[in-house]
């Protein structure tokens, strides 16, 4: 299987333009690394693709690409509580546009909080057992 995979990769490389396989310049490598440094935000890490702009204008709580750091759960809870207070103020003042924006952000924050609660309740490791591929390799061990 491994030799077939290596042969596949070698065939694919011959079909691709050779300039895709050139060595990166120091500037290109630094730019690549800095992109990932800029993805670190207060609540965790932005999961957007390399060299793509933030489509949500840094409204990270709303963004589905935000990968929340579990250590930031208290911060996210604080943000959600603050949004509740801001929503009440917007209602009192009659700021309908602000109310809609806050409600959208609150829903996203609540969704992220729930996902974090679910993730925290799951076991951190999963025992997958030992793989047994003898039968698929045509070898069968007799039962004892």
């Amino acid at each position: 299987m491994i030799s077939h995979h290596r042969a596949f990769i070698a065939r694919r490389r011959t079909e691709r333009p050779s300039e895709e396989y050139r060595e990166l310049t120091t500037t290109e490598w630094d730019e690549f690394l800095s992109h990932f440094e800029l993805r670190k935000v207060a609540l965790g890490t932005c999961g957007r693709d390399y060299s793509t702009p933030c489509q949500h204008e840094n409204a990270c709580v709303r963004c589905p690409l935000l990968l929340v750091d579990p250590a930031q759960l208290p911060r996210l809870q604080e943000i959600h509580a603050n949004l509740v207070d801001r929503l009440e103020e917007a209602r009192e003042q009659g700021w309908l546009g602000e109310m809609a924006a806050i409600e959208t952000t609150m829903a996203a924050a609540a969704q992220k909080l729930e996902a974090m609660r679910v993730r925290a309740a799951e076991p951190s490791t999963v025992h997958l057992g030992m793989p047994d591929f003898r039968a698929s390799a045509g070898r069968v061990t007799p039962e004892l």
Side-chain angles (χ1 to χ4, degrees):
M1 183 183 338
I2 292 170
S3 63
H4 285 288
H5 178 70
R6 287 181 178 159
F8 168 76
I9 296 297
R11 277 192 314 276
R12 290 287 295 158
R13 284 191 175 152
T14 61
E15 295 171 4
R16 307 284 308 167
S18 61
E19 56 270 6
E20 289 185 8
Y21 297 103
R22 66 177 175 73
E23 291 293 321
L24 293 176
T25 66
T26 304
T27 305
E28 290 171 323
W29 184 245
D30 290 343
E31 178 186 322
F32 179 76
L33 293 177
S34 68
H35 166 81
F36 292 100
E37 287 298 317
L38 290 173
R39 288 176 42 187
K40 295 177 184 174
V41 294
L43 290 173
T45 306
C46 178
R48 72 182 188 275
D49 292 333
Y50 169 69
S51 194
T52 57
C54 179
Q55 296 178 4
H56 301 96
E57 299 178 6
N58 298 306
C60 298
V61 173
R62 291 184 184 188
C63 183
L65 297 175
L66 173 65
L67 307 170
V68 181
D69 178 0
Q72 296 301 321
L73 177 62
R75 177 183 224 122
L76 187 55
Q77 290 170 327
E78 184 180 313
I79 289 169
H80 190 269
N82 179 271
L83 288 167
V84 171
D85 295 341
R86 287 182 51 206
L87 181 61
E88 183 58 35
E89 178 187 11
R91 277 196 184 113
E92 290 171 1
Q93 299 297 325
W95 299 331
L96 300 181
E98 189 74 11
M99 286 172 49
I102 292 170
E103 287 170 346
T104 301
T105 306
M106 279 179 62
Q111 181 182 19
K112 284 179 175 41
L113 284 168
E114 182 58 28
M116 289 178 76
R117 286 187 194 105
V118 168
R119 204 172 311 130
E122 293 174 352
S124 60
T125 59
V126 176
H127 178 66
L128 299 175
M130 289 297 293
D132 185 5
F133 51 87
R134 290 174 289 192
S136 61
R139 297 182 188 147
V140 179
T141 304
E143 297 293 322
L144 299 176

